[in-house]
Amino acid sequence: MSVLQCQGHDIHMPHGIEITTVADIEIHPEEVGNSLQFLEFCATFGEILAIEEGQPESILQDIMRGHSGEIGNISSVKSHLQLLALLQDSGN
């Protein structure tokens, strides 16, 4: 237990629980914050970036398992191409 001092009183706080799963995907504990930020970004800008349902989770899954499949099938590559196309359209 952790102990906090508040106005001269000791407050005993329980230890937190380490989070290792985000959207049913096993994540390294040090990457949980980044993963949550990524999902929040996708939720916020999903309509503008034309992100399909389930796509952010698929990208996280690809990244976490170090996907070694064919490059054309990787969700993160598809998303990068989609984002680049959006940026190119907005620049014209």
Side-chain angles (χ1 to χ4, degrees):
M1 286 210 155
S2 300
V3 179
L4 294 175
Q5 286 280 329
C6 183
Q7 298 177 351
H9 298 283
D10 287 343
I11 300 173
H12 297 276
M13 303 292 292
H15 290 284
I17 298 171
E18 188 172 72
I19 298 174
T20 58
T21 305
V22 174
D24 292 329
I25 302 165
E26 285 295 316
I27 306 284
H28 301 290
E30 62 274 5
E31 294 297 330
V32 168
N34 293 333
S35 300
L36 292 172
Q37 286 179 345
F38 173 72
L39 293 175
E40 181 65 25
F41 173 85
C42 291
T44 301
F45 297 104
E47 188 175 330
I48 295 167
L49 299 175
I51 296 173
E52 297 174 15
E53 186 175 333
Q55 193 175 9
E57 293 83 359
S58 181
I59 292 168
L60 274 181
Q61 209 165 32
D62 286 344
I63 292 169
M64 288 301 119
R65 69 175 167 207
H67 192 81
S68 60
E70 212 175 290
I71 234 168
N73 294 330
I74 299 175
S75 299
S76 56
V77 172
K78 290 178 182 178
S79 298
H80 280 95
L81 293 174
Q82 198 173 1
L83 181 57
L84 289 171
L86 178 71
L87 292 172
Q88 185 177 22
D89 288 345
S90 67
N92 292 331

